[in-house]
Amino acid sequence: MRRVPNVSAGSTSLYFSMAIMNICGSHSTVSLIINAYRRAANLSIHFSCIKRSKRFVHNLPCSYYTPKKAYIFSYLFCRKYYSVILNPPYSIVGCSVHHHGDSGTTYTISKQQANENKFLSDLCYAHSCTQVFKLLSSLEVFTDTMAAAALLKVAQVETKDGILTNPRKVFDNMIFKAICLQFEQESKNLSTAGIVNALKAFVQLRVDPWSNLMVRLLSESQERAEKGEMNIQYLCMLGRCLLEIEGPECAMLKPVMDQVLQKKINDWTPEEIAMVYGLLQAGLGEKGQYQGLLNQMHEATVSKASQMNPTLISSILTALVDLKQTQALPLVINLCKNSIRCMPHFTDEELVNVIVALTNFGHSDKYFTEALERHVPRMVFTMSPELVSRVMEYCSKRLILSKPIFDAVAESFVYNSENCTTLQIAQQIIPFGELNYLPPNAASMFRRLEKILSSRFSQFQPQILLKLLHSCILLERFPVNFVAKIFSPYFIQQLQDNAVGGHSDRYTSKDVEIKLDEEGFVLAASSHEEVHRRIALCIDGQKRFCSNTHKLLGKESIKQRHLRLLGYEVIQVFFIFQIPFYEFDNLSYKEEIVEYLHKKIFPHTYRLNW
């Protein structure tokens, strides 16, 4: 196997070649650097690569200094590629590469696997790059996959919000430099797992994609992808790296996706299905791309949903939301059913993703709600504020009045509200008013809310604050202490600046007025004199009630309170056009409906037959 020559010495010819290609007009900016690199290295294989991004600011030195304790490679045969063992003898970089040979291969593989498992277990307890490199230096030998796992751990513990907190601490480390050198020089001999995981780590560490190290790893990755030597897992990992470096326009993504499309979806494992969803979610599925693949995946995933763990269910539901797969409701329903058994095992973040997806798709399930009713009261005091808020938002959007959930949230609010953002406070309180429910500890909950509003009033967004106070009014809790602030010119100006277009409510009640004289006869609607009695006939459909009870929503209940305060006698009629509801369940004929309405409006008056 031919060694890739180091072209750092021939940088002049490299840059000249790049300039010529740029003048001639390369078909894609993506192909520029790798084509130039391969020409300078006298390689004939056509290759596409990465353009420079400002996000990748860490440059590796062109020549690595020789560490005192150098790391050289030996090989452990595995399929067509080698699982490379890094062996640290006390020598200098540049020693010849030794092959272990066939003697004792089975024993060596078994022992090496045991060592690797122990290393990965120990790696979980490392919390800084110093600890990771110390763990590596304590080993007599380690494979390229172990080195790649260590690099991934370094990226995990040393980055925050995608930014490396202390670059010099990582890039100046002797062991890190030695590993980089070996990955660059021996890219042809690395295992596919080692290459792809190392590439992922270097991308997360924002290593310059134009460096020799990255170019060689990307070149080798594409070669193996085009030859069909990568499975779904490695194809997806490579695709995510390319998306992170350049985005969906990266030319290298086409051969990656071509290989994905050639695989039989029905043969994919649940983990592989989730990885492809994630790859499309990361950018490849934008603007309806690969919709045919997505449709096939939706169908295949339905049959595999029962095999999925909480993490997979959560990630796939999130991908369906981000990809706007509104036609995949059968899959959403199936995943919802399977999430019930996973309820105690979801992390807070995973359960948030599930609930957000169900809310987004407008789906609610009786058994899912019952599972929440068992889970939330037991865990509410240790749940994240975001999860509590999302649970309440789900109940509000789906008009689900769940007393076990609402009572538990009300109780936790009294003790945990200090840890909530102003938005989360609103999300937890507003549903009480919207669904017209006062919990047993209403007094202490509203006292706590009043204290928060007194101390954090200016932190609330005007629209959210107004909605929060309105929900209190729906429960006949009037914010008299804040009226002056609400009607101040400053607050009104803020409200106008942040105003958004309103929308009509399709489910508003139908306020029908009947006027009666002193003898009980119905007067004309235009009559204003001799009106002895006024009746407000409220025709309320199913959408004016909580979905799981016969309790009016808060905004409907307050209308009836206002009518009574104005002197009306309020008569409520339950009516729906398509599905029988409440007392209309058994009414089939016009005569029955008329009789029902007469008894509602005139319960003490005999009705003549017409």
Side-chain angles (χ1 to χ4, degrees):
M1 195 173 292
R2 185 173 57 179
R3 177 75 65 87
V4 178
N6 192 327
V7 298
S8 57
S11 57
T12 302
S13 60
L14 170 61
Y15 295 132
F16 177 77
S17 178
M18 290 170 59
I20 294 298
M21 290 176 63
N22 196 30
I23 292 172
C24 293
S26 181
H27 71 277
S28 169
T29 57
V30 170
S31 63
L32 176 62
I33 180 63
I34 293 299
N35 283 335
Y37 174 84
R38 285 195 170 275
R39 292 190 186 192
N42 195 28
L43 297 178
S44 59
I45 302 175
H46 177 73
F47 186 73
S48 307
C49 189
I50 311 302
K51 67 182 180 183
R52 199 179 194 96
S53 171
K54 292 182 180 178
R55 294 175 300 165
F56 294 82
V57 296
H58 304 302
N59 296 298
L60 295 177
C62 292
S63 60
Y64 303 88
Y65 72 89
T66 303
K68 295 180 181 178
K69 193 177 182 182
Y71 291 72
I72 63 173
F73 284 85
S74 300
Y75 304 126
L76 188 63
F77 186 76
C78 179
R79 294 187 181 176
K80 296 182 69 174
Y81 290 93
Y82 294 101
S83 178
V84 181
I85 297 177
L86 292 161
N87 184 24
Y90 289 89
S91 59
I92 61 171
V93 173
C95 291
S96 59
V97 178
H98 301 284
H99 198 290
H100 276 195
D102 296 328
S103 176
T105 300
T106 304
Y107 172 76
T108 305
I109 291 176
S110 300
K111 184 178 179 181
Q112 188 58 47
Q113 186 63 50
N115 291 340
E116 185 166 340
N117 291 339
K118 184 179 185 305
F119 171 77
L120 295 176
S121 177
D122 294 340
L123 196 62
C124 295
Y125 298 98
H127 301 293
S128 68
C129 68
T130 303
Q131 294 176 346
V132 173
F133 293 137
K134 184 178 179 180
L135 179 60
L136 278 175
S137 64
S138 68
L139 300 175
E140 293 183 4
V141 293
F142 54 87
T143 64
D144 59 342
T145 54
M146 293 165 70
L151 292 173
L152 282 171
K153 186 66 176 181
V154 169
Q156 177 189 341
V157 299
E158 294 294 336
T159 58
K160 185 177 182 181
D161 299 326
I163 299 174
L164 193 59
T165 54
N166 191 345
R168 296 195 64 177
K169 185 179 178 182
V170 176
F171 290 102
D172 289 347
N173 184 276
M174 177 192 71
I175 298 177
F176 178 82
K177 288 188 174 185
I179 291 175
C180 289
L181 177 61
Q182 297 300 309
F183 271 106
E184 178 184 333
Q185 292 182 342
E186 301 291 342
S187 60
K188 288 285 183 184
N189 301 317
L190 295 173
S191 66
T192 301
I195 286 182
V196 175
N197 280 289
L199 190 60
K200 179 180 178 181
F202 290 135
V203 168
Q204 291 179 0
L205 290 169
R206 296 294 187 253
V207 173
D208 184 0
W210 282 39
S211 64
N212 286 349
L213 169 65
M214 291 291 282
V215 168
R216 291 193 179 188
L217 291 179
L218 287 164
S219 174
E220 185 63 29
S221 296
Q222 188 180 16
E223 270 192 57
R224 299 188 189 187
E226 290 176 342
K227 291 177 182 178
E229 295 169 350
M230 282 192 179
N231 60 22
I232 289 292
Q233 177 186 356
Y234 298 142
L235 287 170
C236 290
M237 291 176 66
L238 176 59
R240 294 292 289 266
C241 290
L242 298 173
L243 281 168
E244 184 66 22
I245 293 172
E246 187 174 2
E249 68 275 13
C250 178
M252 272 184 66
L253 284 167
K254 187 180 185 306
V256 170
M257 287 307 298
D258 288 345
Q259 288 297 320
V260 171
L261 290 169
Q262 290 178 22
K263 310 288 185 182
K264 293 183 179 179
I265 295 178
N266 290 331
D267 295 337
W268 295 359
T269 66
E271 290 77 13
E272 289 173 337
I273 289 174
M275 292 192 78
V276 177
Y277 270 118
L279 178 60
L280 296 173
Q281 175 191 7
L284 279 181
E286 292 179 352
K287 300 178 182 178
Q289 296 185 81
Y290 298 105
Q291 187 58 55
L293 172 62
L294 280 167
N295 293 338
Q296 295 178 49
M297 289 173 62
H298 299 337
E299 185 177 347
T301 307
V302 170
S303 62
K304 296 180 184 289
S306 60
Q307 307 170 30
M308 293 185 173
N309 60 34
T311 302
L312 298 180
I313 291 174
S314 172
S315 64
I316 291 176
L317 282 171
T318 302
L320 293 176
V321 172
D322 292 346
L323 292 167
K324 298 179 175 59
Q325 297 296 296
T326 54
Q327 79 283 3
L329 190 57
L331 174 57
V332 173
I333 294 172
N334 198 287
L335 291 173
C336 175
K337 289 179 179 178
N338 282 279
S339 67
I340 296 170
R341 61 177 168 81
C342 300
M343 187 68 70
H345 310 292
F346 281 119
T347 65
D348 282 5
E349 183 179 358
E350 288 168 351
L351 189 51
V352 164
N353 292 337
V354 172
I355 292 173
V356 167
L358 296 181
T359 304
N360 185 275
F361 282 101
H363 176 68
S364 57
D365 182 274
K366 174 187 175 182
Y367 299 105
F368 182 82
T369 302
E370 290 176 353
L372 280 178
E373 289 177 338
R374 294 189 295 270
H375 183 69
V376 173
R378 187 172 66 251
M379 304 297 297
V380 69
F381 284 95
T382 57
M383 280 181 174
S384 67
E386 180 66 11
L387 177 53
V388 177
S389 303
R390 292 298 186 175
V391 169
M392 292 300 286
E393 183 183 37
Y394 166 76
C395 290
S396 177
K397 295 284 188 183
R398 304 306 303 155
L399 305 180
I400 299 170
L401 176 54
S402 169
K403 292 184 179 180
I405 293 176
F406 277 50
D407 291 349
V409 171
E411 190 173 352
S412 74
F413 181 82
V414 176
Y415 299 98
N416 296 336
S417 54
E418 281 299 326
N419 300 322
C420 300
T421 65
T422 54
L423 176 59
Q424 290 167 346
I425 290 169
Q427 287 173 328
Q428 292 181 28
I429 296 298
I430 288 172
F432 286 93
E434 288 182 335
L435 301 186
N436 192 25
Y437 178 70
L438 280 173
N441 70 330
S444 56
M445 183 183 79
F446 282 108
R447 277 198 301 270
R448 185 66 186 144
L449 177 61
E450 186 172 7
K451 288 182 180 178
I452 291 173
L453 290 174
S454 298
S455 60
R456 302 171 66 179
F457 187 92
S458 61
Q459 299 176 20
F460 283 84
Q461 290 292 328
Q463 294 281 355
I464 294 173
L465 179 60
L466 207 60
K467 194 172 182 180
L468 173 60
L469 296 178
H470 179 253
S471 71
C472 295
I473 293 172
L474 295 179
L475 294 170
E476 300 184 79
R477 297 299 189 272
F478 305 102
V480 292
N481 295 337
F482 305 101
V483 170
K485 291 184 177 180
I486 293 171
F487 287 98
S488 68
Y490 175 73
F491 184 84
I492 292 175
Q493 182 61 47
Q494 277 191 314
L495 199 61
Q496 291 173 343
D497 293 342
N498 291 277
V500 293
H503 63 278
S504 59
D505 189 350
R506 294 183 299 159
Y507 306 122
T508 303
S509 301
K510 307 297 183 183
D511 293 348
V512 178
E513 182 184 32
I514 300 175
K515 300 175 182 178
L516 304 178
D517 62 14
E518 192 171 358
E519 297 181 1
F521 290 100
V522 178
L523 299 174
S526 58
S527 297
H528 298 288
E529 300 177 356
E530 300 180 354
V531 177
H532 179 72
R533 183 183 172 197
R534 295 176 183 270
I535 298 175
L537 184 64
C538 296
I539 304 175
D540 293 316
Q542 188 175 5
K543 293 295 183 180
R544 282 87 177 182
F545 294 83
C546 299
S547 63
N548 58 335
T549 69
H550 291 170
K551 191 175 182 67
L552 271 175
L553 299 177
K555 63 180 181 179
E556 306 299 336
S557 180
I558 196 173
K559 293 174 185 177
Q560 296 191 10
R561 289 204 302 271
H562 287 170
L563 288 169
R564 290 189 180 97
L565 290 172
L566 291 172
Y568 283 90
E569 179 182 344
V570 179
I571 296 175
Q572 196 173 25
V573 177
F574 308 109
F575 182 81
I576 192 163
F577 289 99
Q578 296 177 339
I579 303 173
F581 183 69
Y582 262 133
E583 299 169 2
F584 261 50
D585 279 351
N586 299 318
L587 302 180
S588 304
Y589 303 102
K590 179 178 178 181
E591 292 78 8
E592 292 177 330
I593 295 174
V594 171
E595 184 68 26
Y596 168 81
L597 292 174
H598 181 85
K599 287 181 179 179
K600 274 284 185 181
I601 303 171
F602 307 109
H604 306 296
T605 305
Y606 177 75
R607 186 175 74 85
L608 297 174
N609 291 322
W610 302 97

